Amino acid sequence: MLKEYCQQKVVLINAALKKFVFAQNHIPAAIYEAMSYSLFAGGKRLRPILLMAAADAVGSRGDKFINMACGLEMIHTYSLIHDDLPAMDNDDYRRGKLTNHKVFGEAMAILAGDGLLTLAFEVMLNQPDVKEKNLLLTIHEIAVSAGARGMVGGQALDLMSEGRTIDVETLRRMHEAKTGALFGAALRCGGLLGGATDEQLAALTVYAQKFGLAFQITDDILDVTGQQSVMGKPVGSDEKNHKATYVSLYSLSQAKSMAEDTVKEACEALNVFDRKADILRSLALQLLERSC
Ligand code: GRG
């Protein structure tokens, strides 16, 4: 059921992303080429799927909110392009392909990220069939989550932690902002757009927090146990870069049991929902089976 759901949403999301990018006048062509390269480099589309699944869980139809979903994916892709730059992580490969700056040069990669970030807001503001107040509320939440109070702030914390010993609490705060904030925005905005009650929104907020934490712990585990050919990037990079992770601060087996506990808590948060939240339940459980 999860596999079919995700496959169907990926087709929908990819078609819409193409439409949004190709609707532009493509002058100059080079910037659209660089933006498209990373946007269609094989991402899992997790954030847009979470937004739609949250809307489904509250009894709406997630597919309706395709502009909002695509906006989130554009923001996510911009963050990956910038994260890979020489001034940041200086990575050569992402999703098994050369990183954006390796193909298009550093300056064009910076612009591709900027282009995607701004296109995201243009596309989200054109989301049909949502009352203006609700649209502004959700786009505001996404802006806060992506900015210095969220993802950008988390990335700054990450930069400042390089070469220092950090404790578990700092690690948690950093990831909550760097990767958790956008997951939170996806789930809460899916709920808000779909007409969630206060109780449902509170449950989605807890689920998002647990989902983000479990995602990060499993990411750290994969950096030790994953296969480069499946992940599309070198494994063991955290240890090489002396990065604090859930595996380095605890141990591999402790990190695995933390991931299991956190996924269980994520599923428990969904107890206020009926079967319509089954996709969210499966998405959390799937984190324990991740291979990329
Ligand atoms: C540069 C402003 C700025 C922010 C970068 C998200 C981020 C902040 C950096 C990414 C670094 C990283 C690899 C973090 C681990 C978690 C993560 C976001 C993984 C990638 O997300 P997936 O697995 O990627 O959803 P795909 O490729 O499927 O889209």
Side-chain angles (χ1 to χ4, degrees):
M1 184 173 136
L2 179 67
K3 199 167 162 217
E4 290 76 37
Y5 183 92
C6 290
Q7 277 171 348
Q8 190 234 323
K9 297 301 177 215
V10 167
V11 170
L12 195 75
I13 293 159
N14 286 349
L17 285 171
K18 280 214 170 79
K19 186 185 87 183
F20 294 136
V21 174
F22 290 102
Q24 308 283 313
N25 68 6
H26 284 243
I27 297 173
I31 181 70
Y32 290 99
E33 209 188 315
M35 286 158 67
S36 301
Y37 175 81
S38 293
L39 204 50
F40 300 107
K44 297 184 289 293
R45 313 304 194 203
L46 194 48
R47 292 145 194 86
I49 289 174
L50 284 169
L51 181 141
M52 293 191 202
D56 288 341
V58 301
S60 180
R61 276 192 49 87
D63 293 6
K64 283 198 304 188
F65 309 115
I66 186 73
N67 287 50
M68 300 297 290
C70 288
L72 276 177
E73 186 66 14
M74 290 176 191
I75 295 172
H76 167 62
T77 306
Y78 122 75
S79 82
L80 298 182
I81 296 173
H82 282 196
D83 186 61
D84 291 334
L85 287 168
M88 299 245 186
D89 272 6
N90 195 15
D91 280 317
D92 292 352
Y93 287 92
R94 160 86 57 190
R95 298 161 172 169
K97 292 186 161 188
L98 283 172
T99 43
N100 200 290
H101 64 273
K102 282 278 158 192
V103 178
F104 300 96
E106 217 176 311
M108 193 56 83
I110 293 171
L111 291 176
D114 295 341
L116 285 168
L117 175 61
T118 38
L119 181 59
F121 285 91
E122 183 185 331
V123 164
M124 291 191 290
L125 283 163
N126 284 330
Q127 167 67 52
D129 303 325
V130 175
K131 289 207 177 80
E132 197 174 302
K133 191 170 163 232
N134 215 10
L135 195 59
L136 291 179
L137 185 76
T138 44
I139 295 177
H140 180 264
E141 174 141 358
I142 290 170
V144 170
S145 309
R149 277 196 274 164
M151 182 176 73
V152 170
Q155 181 78 349
L157 262 179
D158 195 0
L159 270 181
M160 288 156 55
S161 312
E162 259 173 36
R164 295 178 185 207
T165 315
I166 59 165
D167 58 21
V168 170
E169 182 49 28
T170 311
L171 184 74
R172 192 191 56 75
R173 260 194 305 126
M174 181 183 88
H175 289 310
E176 230 167 56
K178 190 175 128 177
T179 47
L182 216 53
F183 285 134
L187 287 152
R188 284 177 44 85
C189 291
L192 281 165
L193 291 162
T197 63
D198 288 348
E199 188 192 29
Q200 288 174 329
L201 196 59
L204 286 172
T205 308
V206 177
Y207 169 85
Q209 198 256 328
K210 303 292 176 191
F211 184 95
L213 178 59
F215 181 91
Q216 191 55 53
I217 300 172
T218 51
D219 215 65
D220 291 351
I221 294 172
L222 276 179
D223 194 64
V224 177
T225 63
Q227 279 177 277
Q228 178 165 341
S229 58
V230 182
M231 294 178 58
K233 60 174 186 182
V235 288
S237 62
D238 291 338
E239 197 184 350
K240 199 174 106 205
N241 298 327
H242 307 288
K243 276 204 168 180
T245 70
Y246 285 95
V247 176
S248 72
L249 290 180
Y250 293 92
S251 67
L252 186 57
S253 66
Q254 272 178 304
K256 281 182 180 167
S257 81
M258 279 171 78
E260 281 165 21
D261 291 347
T262 312
V263 164
K264 196 164 156 251
E265 287 163 11
C267 291
E268 277 164 11
L270 298 177
N271 284 346
V272 300
F273 292 100
D274 61 17
R275 300 289 308 273
K276 289 198 278 293
D278 277 357
I279 292 294
L280 290 180
R281 293 184 181 96
S282 304
L283 281 164
L285 290 167
Q286 180 67 28
L287 290 175
L288 300 173
E289 315 285 320
R290 278 179 78 187
S291 59
C292 66

